[in-house]
Amino acid sequence: MAGFVIRRALGAVLLLVVTSMVTFAIFFVVPRLAGQTVDQLAAQYVGKDPSQAEIEATKVKLGLDQPITVQYGRFVKGIVAGREYSFGPSTEYCPPPCFGYSFKTQRPVWPDLVDRMEVTASLAFGASVLWLLAGVSIGVLSALRKGSFFDRAAMITALAGVSLPIFFTGLLSLALFLPTGVSYVSITDDPLAWAKNLLLPWITLAFLYAALYARLTRAGMLETMGEDYIRTARAKGLPERIVVTRHALRATLTPILTVFGLDIGLLLGGAVLTESTFSLPGIGRYAIDAINNNDLPQVLGVTMLAAFFIVVANLIVDLLYAVADPRVRLS
Amino acid sequence: MMMKKTGLAAVVALALGVTACSSGDDKDNGGTAEFNAADASIVNQSAKTGGTLNLALSDDWDSIDPGNTYYAFSWNFARLYGRALTTFKPAAGKDGLTLVPDLAQNLGEVSDGGRTVTYKLKPGIKYEDGTPVTAKDVKYAVARTYARDVLPNGPTYFVDLLDAGTYTGPYKNTDINAFTGIQTPDDTTVVFKLKQPFGDFDFLVSSPQTIPVPQAKDTGAKYQEHPMSTGSYKVDTYEPGKQFVLSKNPNWDSSDPNRKQLVDKIDVKLKVNAEDIDNRLLAGSLDADIAGSGMQAAARSRVLSDPNLKKNSDNTFTGRLWFFVMDEKVAPFDNIECRKAVQYATDKVALQTAYGGPIAGGDVATTMLPPTIVGYQKFDLYATPESKGDVAKAKDALTRCGRPDGFETKILLRADRPNEVAAGEALQQALGKVNIKAEIRSVPAGQYFTRFAGAPEYMKGNQIGIAFHGWQADWPTGYGFLQQLVDGRTIKAQGNTNVQEMNVPEINAMFDKAAASTDAKERETIYGQIDKAAMEHASVVPFLYGKGLLYRNPAMTNVFISYPFGMYDYVGLGKG
Amino acid sequence: MTSPLDVPETATQAQPEAVLAGAGRAIEGRSLGQIAWLRLRRDRVALAGGVVIVVLILAAIAAPLLTRITGGSPTDFHQDLVDPTFSKPKGEGTFAGFSWEHPLGVEPRSGRDVFSRILYGAQISLLIGFLATLVSVAIGTLMGIVAGYFGGWVDTLISRLMDAFLAFPLLLFALALAGVIPDRAFGLSGNTLRIAVLVFIIGFFNWPYIGRIIRGQTLSLREREFVDAARSLGARGRWVMFKEMLPNLAAPILVYSTLMIPANILFEAALSFLGVGIRPPTPSWGKMLADAVPFYSVAPMYLVVPGLAIFVTVMAFNLLGDGLRDALDPRAR
């Protein structure tokens, strides 16, 4: 077991390293290939009317004068061990995990990310409670009453749910219920206002995922209900309620929870569309702004964070699976 | 513009040749809440103290460091916590364009043929901690803006103008005496040494870059965490992207004629949704939108259709000009007749509607200088019926250009600006009517001037004939507005704002003449002439004098539009 | 699993194994197509989806013709129909701007005909949806078969590669890539280049989803008699993979292609919504939604119409895909 855990954890780290390299390559090499020079990139951060000397100085400050390998080395060092940054008269130590200072705002990236994490996490966890409850229960009911009116209506609604782009349902719900828009209030400031403001984004996001989970749960339930051991349980004379809850549902929920883990991992890395639609200042909005501003430290920070959540979610799911199902360890 | 006759302001406005639209009201006293009342009068005049001024910003601040900021609202607001050598007179209407001494006792004393400008500081001015302000602090404040790798945001006029050799700021070499651009013979005298005369110098020193900074307290890029205040308020906390709180500065010199200290606290919430700002304004929990960029569509229609709300709003000039240019180095726009064809073909009303209409977009423009700039004169060299374009005249011009069957070109604009894209599509339509086939090319706004429109090589290499442009003056004179746009000597490889690459010796000479002139009236005349000469060259097509619908909380006192900044003046506000 | 978009990846969510198990069995006298058709014919909902898709495709192809009958070109301005102060279509009520000339109303600001923009937008959506799916399926099938057939280190390598792809925040990468496209590349320019790049990005980033399914299916096919038979007759790897196995993979490929198209249409709409899609003035549904944002309270129909267009299209593909899966998999009935 320990060997398995170590192997998986190492794999996860390797995956993160690869992700960081690819991200670096995409954001450093692709713009060059597309014709942007380093001077032009640096000129973006000198303000109006930069002279060549100022551009050179800025390149040095941002480290853009170095070859890409050196820049990557510095980036990794910052995350692992922290880095020193110059602010004119003083030098400041940026402790690990240091994703550097934003080119544009000159603020450290990591505290900003931590800050916005609250918004994204609030969105993700709140919505996930809703969709798990709604999705699974509708899925189970549908499976139990397969072919009934309820089943058909629920499944058509679910299909509609997965067919609606979230930026449309989000905008529509804003137009209908909250034309003044959503403004995030920190849970620590005012829990009531927090929930009130997030309610619409939660419902919108949960609708999409609940549809998905209802379909998954129904399919899973139908499959399990056809298994031999369920028939055996029934033959033993167990009440249907016990058969469903103790046996069928338990077997169905395992793969659902796997999917759930991964979905949460993905969402924590930034619900880009939901946050854009509702103008929530989360990780996803941050990512869009960072990309639009060509702000490399911000982009790298946010991509690494997103990848981290995905990889960790994968890891946790894998480990849980290994615990639940001993056969996995053999492979 | 809606003028209310309020004594001096109206007289000055008329003298300056402002076109007055009928406002439908003819009350003689300013001061009450009416639509556009704050545009020409001070609304709710009161000396009442106490309360909190609640402001909000939908965007992010570039920096609250006075030496490192370049937003109009930020320059307006910085005056609350810092005193520059000069500032604008706290008055409504055109009167507000007048410069008055602030930290200095007087406007600049010019000597040495205009190459030396001297200011005497007012005595007894202190920082928030009680230490006195000296001339050296002003010198240091300007010197640190030379370190553009540390403080990149501000303008570079001092760097360009002062006779300081290759000085690179006080961080690499902390000896302030190495900076020769300013001399401080004693603690109250600041002497600027210029490379060449500069007529608008008093305007230059009104920028927050001359707000004194004590060298001992300067932490470079981190100075914005707590800039030392000399104004009526001091920074309590600044959390980027969240909140900015100011409270009364106990060491403020209360004889200051330019500021008030009425409210106890000023609270600016940052990164608030634009719709939410509108909503809170109408609910009264916010007093003003600090950026002053105008209300969004939903709130706009609410305000304009409800007289009770409308009377608390102002439809004001933002000081911005929206225009597009034709690159004179890209065929066929090297031929003035082809440029004129575009001038005539442009349906400015279509562009106006696309850009947001008369309230949120602005008034149709025919000159480069907006009406709120010193030097503005009304004229229209390419008049068309109702400003909707004139196909016949455009076709004539095309024929004279030798392209009677039209031609193909490209329109460059910023992809992430919906208004600009819509205006570009409107232009494309209008040009299509005279067989000019224009393809739209949209690029990221962040790199517009560093890589695309501002890089002549890109324009020529990609045969971009037309590019969109928006401009706001760094100070409200013809020079401040026009020089970076039409002086041929400002053309550069990147960050170029003279996108049309207009390089006309006569125009360049007029800028020199204005700079050398010590007579404000003469300068004003020259600005008007430059505007006309540039328009005659036909490569710039102004289409909108930008406007926005601002909403003021009726509880706010002493509210008026600051013409230099195109939004409410923040330094005298109180709560009733 | 789900894609990093908040948009569901319907293709992969729906128990892949069920389909695969059914695919192999369907060889008794009738061809795959016949069996599918026989079953699908009874599934009226799926058929309705199919009909909608056919109508959409025809409408998109006939867009120039159809718009000539109604409002005209998708780029012509009709600003006389727009209220300049509020930038919305003139008239009162929800359906302001709707008329016989403009059956779906006009755009705020410009007054362009929404109906023709929707039709031309369908061209973009469908084109990109189909082509991107083609790219994904091509790469995914190739990688899946190779991984499943060869096993060993090849399988490990490809499987890890797929894991890596799934670990990337793909939407961010897509945004970044789409944002830096030069104006001219590979001999293409303008919107042709833009479409090519979008197809590549969407298709390339989604191949692991189908790749995983094909790999799993190949793994089980490898153990079957007919493969052994082919091998014992001296057939080599390439022959076995593409002549023996590929035909047996037709069912899952067909089903998942059908289910990937709507996911890709949503992806394109999302990219356009976020501002890195097709360039103006060419219409695209996602861009129309983005344009509608500032006006949703004053001109709600301008938001609703493109949203419904996306919805109907995606729903139709999902219905057909579900039906196809059911038809090709007796167990799922």
Side-chain angles (χ1 to χ4, degrees):
Chain A
M1 185 69 196
F4 174 78
V5 173
I6 291 171
R7 222 169 46 235
R8 280 295 178 166
L10 280 179
V13 171
L14 189 69
L15 206 53
L16 279 178
V17 173
V18 173
T19 313
S20 71
M21 285 177 170
V22 173
T23 315
F24 220 80
I26 285 186
F27 288 96
F28 278 76
V29 179
V30 174
R32 293 303 97 74
L33 294 178
Q36 184 200 48
T37 64
V38 179
D39 279 14
Q40 286 169 344
L41 178 64
Q44 258 184 274
Y45 309 106
V46 204
K48 252 189 201 171
D49 201 8
S51 70
Q52 194 56 39
E54 286 158 2
I55 290 175
E56 294 302 328
T58 305
K59 269 157 68 179
V60 173
K61 181 181 84 165
L62 304 179
L64 297 173
D65 55 328
Q66 300 291 324
I68 182 169
T69 43
V70 175
Q71 290 187 44
Y72 181 73
R74 287 179 176 178
F75 170 69
V76 173
K77 180 176 174 278
I79 297 176
V80 180
R83 284 171 70 181
E84 298 268 327
Y85 279 88
S86 161
F87 284 95
S90 59
T91 311
E92 187 113 336
Y93 177 66
C94 165
C98 175
F99 287 96
Y101 283 73
S102 154
F103 286 174
K104 187 150 188 274
T105 63
Q106 301 196 317
R107 292 202 298 267
V109 170
W110 181 246
D112 273 7
L113 283 176
V114 172
D115 229 43
R116 282 156 173 268
M117 203 54 238
E118 186 196 314
V119 182
T120 302
S122 299
L123 178 67
F125 287 120
S128 65
V129 171
L130 290 182
W131 91 57
L132 262 188
L133 284 177
V136 171
S137 42
I138 291 172
V140 169
L141 283 178
S142 267
L144 293 180
R145 298 179 195 167
K146 189 184 164 206
S148 70
F149 174 75
F150 174 84
D151 178 32
R152 284 178 191 205
M155 283 307 109
I156 286 287
T157 315
L159 198 62
V162 297
S163 303
L164 281 164
I166 189 143
F167 42 93
F168 176 51
T169 40
L171 289 171
L172 203 61
S173 60
L174 275 177
L176 288 176
F177 306 114
L178 204 63
T180 52
V182 172
S183 52
Y184 183 77
V185 180
S186 174
I187 186 168
T188 48
D189 289 351
D190 184 350
L192 207 69
W194 170 80
K196 215 179 113 198
N197 269 298
L198 282 176
L199 195 60
L200 207 57
W202 280 342
I203 293 175
T204 312
L205 189 56
F207 177 55
L208 170 67
Y209 278 94
L212 214 64
Y213 279 57
R215 281 162 64 85
L216 271 179
T217 311
R218 179 180 179 273
M221 272 298 271
L222 286 180
E223 209 176 322
T224 351
M225 293 295 275
E227 296 280 345
D228 292 341
Y229 70 95
I230 298 287
R231 257 179 262 159
T232 315
R234 281 203 186 117
K236 278 198 302 187
L238 285 178
E240 187 67 15
R241 191 171 50 84
I242 302 286
V243 174
V244 170
T245 51
R246 290 268 169 85
H247 298 270
L249 192 55
R250 190 171 287 180
T252 312
L253 280 184
T254 320
I256 301 268
L257 287 178
T258 313
V259 176
F260 178 71
L262 300 179
D263 282 340
I264 285 286
L266 282 170
L267 275 183
L268 285 179
V272 174
L273 290 170
T274 315
E275 289 171 21
S276 297
T277 308
F278 290 102
S279 313
L280 287 168
I283 300 282
R285 280 292 316 161
Y286 187 83
I288 302 245
D289 290 346
I291 289 170
N292 285 341
N293 289 333
N294 254 338
D295 201 325
L296 300 178
Q298 287 190 340
V299 170
L300 286 170
V302 80
T303 350
M304 290 311 296
L305 187 73
F308 174 80
F309 281 121
I310 298 170
V311 168
V312 167
N314 261 304
L315 186 64
I316 292 174
V317 165
D318 273 1
L319 296 182
L320 286 181
Y321 238 82
V323 174
D325 185 352
R327 281 174 304 173
V328 173
R329 267 175 264 164
L330 300 175
S331 65
Chain B
M1 185 153 51
M2 316 271 263
M3 296 301 305
K4 284 197 10 141
K5 299 188 193 73
T6 49
L8 185 64
V11 174
V12 172
L14 290 173
L16 291 174
V18 176
T19 47
C21 310
S22 67
S23 65
D25 69 80
D26 51 0
K27 282 177 82 178
D28 279 324
N29 302 324
T32 50
E34 270 171 53
F35 182 53
N36 268 345
D39 194 72
S41 66
I42 299 175
V43 176
N44 289 343
Q45 292 211 36
S46 161
K48 190 174 177 297
T49 56
T52 299
L53 187 66
N54 294 301
L55 305 171
L57 178 66
S58 66
D59 217 334
D60 218 345
W61 219 292
D62 51 354
S63 167
I64 66 159
D65 181 340
N68 193 30
T69 178
Y70 210 164
Y71 287 133
F73 75 82
S74 184
W75 283 26
N76 183 359
F77 196 79
R79 300 181 302 154
L80 281 165
Y81 53 91
R83 297 180 69 171
L85 289 175
T86 61
T87 192
F88 295 97
K89 189 174 171 182
K94 282 263 182 183
D95 203 17
L97 295 172
T98 318
L99 271 183
V100 290
D102 192 2
L103 191 65
Q105 293 182 15
N106 56 304
L107 294 182
E109 277 167 28
V110 180
S111 54
D112 186 22
R115 276 191 284 274
T116 299
V117 187
T118 307
Y119 295 90
K120 274 274 190 202
L121 301 192
K122 281 178 186 148
I125 293 181
K126 299 191 185 92
Y127 288 107
E128 59 186 81
D129 61 358
T131 36
V133 172
T134 69
K136 267 215 162 54
D137 299 343
V138 176
K139 174 176 180 173
Y140 181 77
V142 175
R144 68 198 281 275
T145 67
Y146 277 66
R148 299 256 286 157
D149 50 338
V150 180
L151 307 171
N153 296 335
T156 55
Y157 296 108
F158 290 120
V159 178
D160 298 338
L161 257 173
L162 297 185
D163 193 7
T166 55
Y167 185 68
T168 54
Y171 300 127
K172 290 188 185 80
N173 172 13
T174 52
D175 180 11
I176 189 65
N177 292 321
F179 179 48
T180 55
I182 296 178
Q183 289 164 9
T184 49
D186 57 55
D187 273 356
T188 58
T189 311
V190 184
V191 183
F192 289 85
K193 292 287 182 189
L194 279 61
K195 287 182 206 156
Q196 70 254 352
F198 192 76
D200 279 349
F201 199 76
D202 280 337
F203 282 96
L204 264 195
V205 299
S206 76
S207 100
Q209 288 184 328
T210 69
I211 290 176
V213 174
Q215 184 167 14
K217 299 273 183 181
D218 184 21
T219 43
K222 292 186 144 300
Y223 182 65
Q224 67 160 328
E225 286 170 8
H226 194 109
M228 292 298 284
S229 172
T230 45
S232 47
Y233 290 83
K234 63 182 173 58
V235 177
D236 271 2
T237 50
Y238 173 55
E239 296 173 78
K242 279 187 188 160
Q243 202 176 16
F244 180 12
V245 182
L246 300 96
S247 65
K248 284 185 175 178
N249 174 7
N251 281 306
W252 170 60
D253 172 18
S254 55
S255 68
D256 181 350
N258 302 319
R259 281 167 192 72
K260 291 191 171 74
Q261 198 185 46
L262 299 177
V263 293
D264 297 330
K265 192 177 140 191
I266 300 172
D267 184 342
V268 190
K269 296 271 189 290
L270 307 173
K271 278 260 172 198
V272 184
N273 287 344
E275 282 86 9
D276 196 34
I277 290 182
D278 292 349
N279 188 34
R280 291 196 211 176
L281 278 172
L282 296 179
S285 59
L286 264 188
D287 296 315
D289 167 20
I290 196 169
S293 42
M295 301 189 108
Q296 307 295 306
R300 206 159 67 228
S301 67
R302 237 181 103 190
V303 168
L304 291 176
S305 50
D306 181 347
N308 275 323
L309 296 174
K310 191 178 174 183
K311 69 175 192 210
N312 298 323
S313 67
D314 297 288
N315 191 205
T316 181
F317 285 112
T318 57
R320 209 166 253 283
L321 180 79
W322 299 110
F323 58 104
F324 61 86
V325 298
M326 289 161 267
D327 193 329
E328 298 176 14
K329 296 279 157 49
V330 174
F333 295 122
D334 46 354
N335 184 327
I336 190 168
E337 293 300 334
C338 273
R339 302 201 290 265
K340 282 184 182 168
V342 171
Q343 293 274 4
Y344 285 120
T346 305
D347 177 349
K348 291 186 180 175
V349 175
L351 268 79
Q352 179 192 39
T353 307
Y355 209 89
I359 302 276
D363 288 353
V364 166
T366 57
T367 62
M368 291 188 73
L369 286 179
T372 50
I373 298 279
V374 174
Y376 166 80
Q377 286 169 27
K378 187 184 161 75
F379 62 90
D380 186 357
L381 297 182
Y382 309 99
T384 62
E386 296 174 40
S387 300
K388 286 185 171 175
D390 189 329
V391 172
K393 273 189 182 167
K395 284 196 167 153
D396 284 352
L398 276 178
T399 311
R400 284 197 299 278
C401 176
R403 305 279 190 128
D405 301 323
F407 51 86
E408 287 183 15
T409 188
K410 297 191 185 98
I411 300 175
L412 187 72
L413 46 77
R414 286 163 277 202
D416 22 7
R417 298 198 172 179
N419 288 347
E420 196 161 304
V421 175
E425 288 168 339
L427 177 64
Q428 186 184 39
Q429 283 281 307
L431 295 183
K433 287 183 189 156
V434 293
N435 290 325
I436 301 176
K437 287 187 192 60
E439 178 198 318
I440 291 179
R441 179 164 295 184
S442 49
V443 295
Q447 306 171 56
Y448 197 64
F449 285 106
T450 53
R451 190 176 160 196
F452 300 107
E457 201 180 313
Y458 175 88
M459 296 288 287
K460 277 172 273 202
N462 290 276
Q463 289 292 300
I464 309 275
I466 298 174
F468 269 76
H469 208 329
W471 193 249
Q472 186 159 23
D474 291 332
W475 67 93
T477 74
Y479 196 102
F481 194 92
L482 292 171
Q483 198 256 348
Q484 292 288 317
L485 293 180
V486 298
D487 187 333
R489 294 160 297 187
T490 63
I491 298 170
K492 47 192 157 299
Q494 54 199 12
N496 179 33
T497 47
N498 183 346
V499 178
Q500 73 280 17
E501 297 187 71
M502 181 191 289
N503 191 355
V504 185
E506 295 78 40
I507 293 179
N508 301 350
M510 280 195 268
F511 279 111
D512 293 341
K513 199 175 153 203
S517 164
T518 49
D519 175 3
K521 269 274 159 276
E522 188 195 359
R523 289 205 298 267
E524 209 179 304
T525 317
I526 299 173
Y527 300 148
Q529 289 166 348
I530 296 176
D531 191 353
K532 210 164 246 169
M535 285 305 297
E536 272 164 7
H537 211 65
S539 52
V540 178
V541 187
F543 64 89
L544 278 189
Y545 304 124
K547 271 184 151 185
L549 185 69
L550 304 188
Y551 189 84
R552 52 185 136 83
N553 185 354
M556 254 191 330
T557 60
N558 306 318
V559 195
F560 64 92
I561 300 286
S562 159
Y563 271 35
F565 299 112
M567 67 191 78
Y568 295 123
D569 186 298
Y570 297 129
V571 291
L573 293 175
K575 282 295 272 290
Chain C
M1 300 300 115
T2 48
S3 96
L5 286 166
D6 328 337
V7 174
E9 201 64 51
T10 41
T12 47
Q13 283 290 352
Q15 84 265 37
E17 276 68 31
V19 177
L20 308 174
R25 275 183 231 153
I27 321 161
E28 274 166 43
R30 286 180 186 134
S31 78
L32 184 77
Q34 283 171 319
I35 292 175
W37 173 240
L38 274 175
R39 297 210 178 110
L40 197 61
R41 215 165 47 180
R42 279 176 303 203
D43 188 344
R44 269 178 300 176
V45 183
L47 272 187
V51 170
V52 170
I53 292 168
V54 171
V55 170
L56 270 171
I57 293 174
L58 289 180
I61 293 171
L65 220 71
L66 284 171
T67 51
R68 199 165 301 165
I69 301 169
T70 59
S73 127
T75 48
D76 276 351
F77 275 41
H78 304 281
Q79 283 181 323
D80 48 322
L81 301 174
V82 176
D83 175 345
T85 308
F86 300 115
S87 315
K88 61 169 190 167
K90 274 182 189 161
E92 288 300 311
T94 315
F95 294 97
F98 282 59
S99 66
W100 286 112
E101 286 81 42
H102 307 289
L104 294 176
V106 293
E107 206 180 42
R109 291 204 258 240
S110 62
R112 291 184 293 203
D113 179 45
V114 173
F115 177 68
S116 58
R117 291 187 73 73
I118 289 287
L119 281 185
Y120 278 88
Q123 291 183 340
I124 299 289
S125 279
L126 292 173
L127 188 69
I128 292 181
F130 276 111
L131 291 181
T133 306
L134 209 63
V135 171
S136 298
V137 169
I139 305 177
T141 307
L142 180 69
M143 298 294 249
I145 291 189
V146 167
Y149 182 79
F150 287 108
W153 68 268
V154 178
D155 183 25
T156 312
L157 186 77
I158 293 178
S159 294
R160 290 296 143 250
L161 190 66
M162 292 196 276
D163 281 353
F165 259 85
L166 297 175
F168 283 143
L170 296 187
L171 183 59
L172 297 189
F173 276 34
L175 276 178
L177 278 179
V180 297
I181 307 168
D183 307 303
R184 199 176 289 276
F186 321 114
L188 301 173
S189 70
N191 268 336
T192 322
L193 174 68
R194 209 82 199 156
I195 292 174
V197 170
L198 287 173
V199 163
F200 171 76
I201 290 174
I202 299 173
F204 185 69
F205 279 145
N206 278 325
W207 72 265
Y209 295 110
I210 194 143
R212 277 188 164 184
I213 291 159
I214 298 300
R215 171 185 167 270
Q217 176 64 357
T218 309
L219 275 177
S220 67
L221 275 183
R222 198 172 60 169
E223 309 305 324
R224 295 180 80 95
E225 298 85 350
F226 73 95
V227 175
D228 281 343
R231 265 206 220 113
S232 64
L233 288 172
R236 278 184 302 174
R238 209 187 305 169
W239 176 274
V240 176
M241 278 190 286
F242 296 108
K243 293 284 176 185
E244 300 288 340
M245 287 174 145
L246 194 58
N248 283 289
L249 294 168
I253 291 177
L254 179 68
V255 169
Y256 287 106
S257 303
T258 316
L259 288 172
M260 268 185 102
I261 291 170
N264 288 343
I265 288 178
L266 285 177
F267 204 139
E268 187 274 332
L271 289 179
S272 293
F273 178 74
L274 294 171
V276 291
I278 297 296
R279 285 192 173 144
T282 307
S284 131
W285 292 344
K287 184 70 175 42
M288 287 173 85
L289 273 177
D291 288 346
V293 172
F295 305 107
Y296 65 68
S297 56
V298 290
M301 286 319 284
Y302 185 53
L303 170 73
V304 170
V305 169
L308 281 184
I310 298 177
F311 169 63
V312 168
T313 310
V314 171
M315 181 89 175
F317 275 104
N318 278 336
L319 284 172
L320 181 69
D322 271 13
L324 267 181
R325 187 183 49 211
D326 291 348
L328 293 173
D329 172 21
R331 266 198 352 173
R333 301 237 99 197

